Amino acid sequence: METLMILLIGVLITVATYLILSKNLIRVILGTAVLSHAVHLLILTIAGVKKGNVPLLKEAEAPYTDALPQALILTAIVISFAVTAFVLVLAYRTYQSNGTDDLEGLRGPENE
């Protein structure tokens, strides 16, 4: 199972790198979103799936499940969704004002 997850993470990072190196602004934004999801899967894979009791003081002494990786991933998903939505709005406004989403076209004249 872990080898399949690592293979999926590698494919997602490859796709994200390809999209980030594109000259289209929307593809760059989607590439960063895919890269953030690959990192979420990487954190989950590194943490592993552990089975045990809840970490309460009154419970019997036994192995317990650490909820920190899942909490970190959930927080990162919310933050990356908000950042992606904000950057998409900025890209839309850039397209409205400049008429292009090509990064070469957004650089401006060559003499500047």
Side-chain angles (χ1 to χ4, degrees):
M1 180 71 174
E2 289 181 8
T3 57
L4 183 64
M5 289 292 286
I6 291 174
L7 183 65
L8 177 65
I9 292 167
V11 169
L12 286 176
I13 289 176
T14 304
V15 169
T17 304
Y18 176 76
L19 288 173
I20 288 174
L21 293 175
S22 175
K23 292 183 180 181
N24 190 342
L25 188 60
I26 299 298
R27 287 186 182 181
V28 171
I29 295 169
L30 290 177
T32 57
V34 170
L35 184 63
S36 70
H37 288 302
V39 171
H40 299 157
L41 284 175
L42 181 65
I43 293 171
L44 187 64
T45 304
I46 289 173
V49 178
K50 298 177 182 83
K51 296 183 180 179
N53 289 335
V54 292
L56 297 176
L57 295 176
K58 304 277 183 184
E59 294 292 322
E61 292 185 25
Y64 64 91
T65 303
D66 188 16
L68 186 62
Q70 287 86 4
L72 286 174
I73 292 169
L74 183 62
T75 305
I77 288 171
V78 171
I79 291 171
S80 67
F81 177 72
V83 169
T84 302
F86 179 68
V87 173
L88 280 173
V89 169
L90 287 178
Y92 178 69
R93 289 292 297 150
T94 302
Y95 180 76
Q96 276 186 334
S97 64
N98 295 328
T100 184
D101 63 346
D102 184 38
L103 291 176
E104 292 292 327
L106 292 174
R107 279 190 164 178
E110 292 182 19
N111 297 331
E112 286 187 351

